[in-house]
Structure formats: structure tokens, C-alpha cells
Amino acid sequence: MPNATADARGRSTRANVATLGSALPPTKLRRAITGPLLFLFILGDVLGAGIYALAGVLAGDVGGVLWAPIMLALGLALLTAGSYAELVTKYPKAGGAAVFAERAFRRPVVSFLVGFSMLAAGVTSAAGLTLAFAGDYLTVFIDVPPIVSALVFLALIAALNARGIRESLGANVVMTVLELSGLVLVVVVVAIFVGGGGGDAARLTTFPEGSVPALAILAASIVAFYSFVGFEVSANVAEEVRDPARTYPRALFGALITAGVLYLLVALASGIALPSDELADTSAPLLAVVESTGAGVPPWLFSLVALIAVANGALLTMIMASRLAFGMAERGLLPGVLARVLPRRKTPWVAIVATTVVAMILASIGTLELLAETVVLLLLFVFITVNVAVLVLRRDRVDHQHFRVWAPIPVLGVASCILLLSQQRAEVWLAGAIMLAISAILYLVPRAITRAR
């Protein structure tokens, strides 16, 4: 992915920063997010629970070739990330994709559908992460009904979110460091294990019997792509980022590439350490990998790290959802009450409460697999819109610096999203259709009531 450069003439074929001025639009929110905080924000959300919980699913699809769909998913994610880098730095306002759609297509219904899809994906993802938190890793410490631990967990996430963006991101720094430590631990103990003659590197090229390699990799790329989604969450805190023209692209691409390298190393380590059928049969695949090496790492320690990874992903996703609801409310796309903020904390407390309640409902009725795949489906439609919006808005000039991506990248981004949509299951399409039907009701009913009056 190309880096941002200062090219006032705009003739370079590489991505560049448009230098039309330096003034950023005013905001009611506090610009408290620095470059390192943003990097860790994105990295923490991308790492999340994906690789900790879904490595076993990948093994079931592609055997020991876990690394292949991960690398494919990273490449596809970077395409759309380029479009986000341009639009976020060009329009650094809370609301993310909904703001981009509003400016590009100038039709309230399109902006609403995009914003609602993003909002639904965020809340659904948080619900799925909550179920992951309340599962096998938690039972290592305490055996309580999953629904009870899920609801308590979401309430605690909401309290931290309402306390303030700096406090939330401060917690993210700690949790992200622990997440990274857990993944590094997997790589290190397997390396020692292999150095002592353990493992089998031949598994890294072995697919499940009877599978077609290319089709297996493509199908597994859906799960792998879920492990990379989360970078789009950062678009909804752009209004709180200092110097977004410089900070955002560096943090975005740096976090995605860092996550990709970690995922690749963990995938290689997992494929070498355990047969694919053993990886596929556990809901805690990385714990199984560590235990297989005989390194003596206590199960409770690694389970704690996994729980922190899940909690971090849920926290950052709920930050996104509440900021998106706030941004949509400010533009009249959702009820205005959602735009209310705490006077001292400057956090959108009504939006936080509303999104938390919805996440609690979804966690009570859904399953982790269905929720995860529904998130990808909804986000793919959002990503298509964002990639198209980049091209539509190329002639729209703003009075501050912003990143500019190479023109073919958004086109390739649209193609990548269509490719992934072709791999979705019928059940996931049904869940997505239900979500969009709800959005249609929320859009049409208030307007019909207004006309009747």
C-alpha cells in the first residue's frame, strides 16, 4: 500500500497528501487521540478475538495451510483501507461511512442504510465478542451461565466507554500489549518446540482430503477477513484524532500490516505444532497449540490473555458503535436524543446506552458463528460504498490536508468485496436481510408519521 506524500500538483500515481490548507472543521468532541493511541486503537480492534477464537475454523477449511487465507484477507483489507485513509482524512467527522455516503450520493436513504449497516455490524460484532468472552476461556476461572456473564460484561464495557475516550483508549493500550504478548508467546514456544525436534512443517502445505485448494482458500478467506475487520472502526473516532492527515494513514496501514505479520506467524506456528483436525476440534485453538508444546505455560494464564483480547475488541467496537450513532443523530439520520453528551466527560452517553442494550439483546439470542459472518456481510456492503465514494468525491475540494490514494485501488476494493460476497452462506444472507428490513422500518415509519401530522 502506498505511503502518503506531499504532492501539491496531484500528478503522482502514488498516494499523496492534498495540501489545500490546514484548518480542521470544528467539533464538539475533544481531540485527545494521538498517533500512538490511534495505532494501538486500530491494532487492538483488528487483533480482537479473531485469531484467538477462529484459527480452528480456518484449520477445518484449509487444513494446515492457515497462512494462505490470512495473506489473501490482508491484501483485500488493505485495498479498502486505502479508501478509508483518503475519506477519513478528507472528512474527519464522527459518523464514518455514513458521512462519506451522505457527501457522495446526497440521498438521505443511502446515507441512512450505510450508516445503519455499519452500526448493525458494530453492535453485532460486540455481541459476538461477548459470547466469545462468556465461553470456554472464562470457564477456566468461573462457571456461571453464559448469558449472565455476557450481560455483566457489556455493562462494564458501557461504563468504561462513558467515562471518556482517553480512559477507554488508555485501557486499550494495556489490553493491546497483553494481546500482543499472547500471540508472541505462541510463536516463541512453538519455535522452541520445533528447535527441539517437535512439530511437522509438512502440514503447512497439506489441505483436507478431497478439497480443492483454490476454492478452500477462497472460502476460508471469509473467516480470515473477519480477523482483519475492525480497522473501519477508527473512522468513527476521526473527530477526536489530532492532526488526522498525518496520523491516520500511518496508524491505519501500520496496524494492519503489524496484525498481518502476527497472524502469519501464529498461523505457521499453529500448523506446525498441531494436526489440523485437532485444531478444528477445539474452541480454544491457541491454548491447544501452547499446551501441545509442553512449554509449561499455565492454562489459566493464556486463558486470561485470550479474555483480555476479546474484551479489548468489544470495548473498541462499542466505542465505534456509540460514536456512529452520535454522528448519525447529529445529521438527522437517527433520533436527536442520541447526540446528547455528558457535559464534563464529552462522551455520547445516550448513544452508549442504546447500543449496549441492543448488543445485550443480540448476545441473548444469537450464536458466535452466525454473528461473525453477519458482521462480514454487512461490512462488505459498507466497504463497497466507501470505495465508490472515493471516486465520486475526487472533485470535492476541502480546506485542509488529506491523504490521497492511487485511483485503481478503490476499483480493486469493490472487486474484492464482490468476491467475498460470493462466498457467503444462505443463512447469513437471511440474517443480513432481516437487519436491512429493520433499517427500512426505522427510516420509513418516522417519516410517514411526520407527513401524517
Side-chain angles (χ1 to χ4, degrees), residues 5-7 16-25 85-92 243-247 249 398-404:
T5 62
D7 185 357
N16 62 87
V17 175
T19 55
L20 300 176
S22 59
L24 288 172
E86 176 164 335
L87 292 178
V88 167
T89 57
K90 194 173 185 179
Y91 310 109
D243 193 8
R246 293 178 60 255
T247 300
V398 294
D399 294 329
H400 60 267
Q401 293 182 342
H402 69 86
F403 181 90
R404 186 177 174 89

Side-chain angles (χ1 to χ4, degrees), residues 10 31 78 87 103 108 155 183 206 227 237 252 260 274 280 288 343 368 389 414 428 434 436:
R31 292 196 180 276
L78 284 171
L87 292 178
R103 288 182 175 272
L183 297 179
T206 303
S227 297
V237 297
L252 176 62
L274 276 180
L368 176 57
V414 171
V428 180
I434 292 173
L436 292 178

Side-chain angles (χ1 to χ4, degrees), residues 255-280:
L256 277 174
I257 293 171
T258 300
V261 170
L262 282 170
Y263 285 167
L264 175 61
L265 293 175
V266 170
L268 293 172
S270 300
I272 292 173
L274 276 180
S276 59
D277 56 345
E278 293 186 31
L279 276 173

Side-chain angles (χ1 to χ4, degrees), residues 188-251:
V188 170
V189 297
V190 172
I192 296 173
F193 179 56
V194 172
D200 184 2
R203 299 187 188 121
L204 297 178
T205 57
T206 303
F207 287 89
E209 185 176 352
S211 66
V212 178
L215 295 180
I217 292 172
L218 186 58
S221 65
I222 289 290
V223 174
F225 194 78
Y226 177 76
S227 297
F228 285 102
V229 297
F231 68 86
E232 76 287 344
V233 169
S234 59
N236 298 283
V237 297
E239 201 165 342
E240 298 165 89
V241 174
R242 297 177 186 172
D243 193 8
R246 293 178 60 255
T247 300
Y248 187 82
R250 295 176 181 178

Side-chain angles (χ1 to χ4, degrees), residues 351-374:
I352 291 171
V353 171
T355 52
T356 300
V357 169
V358 175
M360 287 178 171
I361 294 172
L362 291 174
S364 301
I365 64 176
T367 64
L368 176 57
E369 182 179 5
L370 181 60
L371 291 174
E373 294 186 9
T374 303

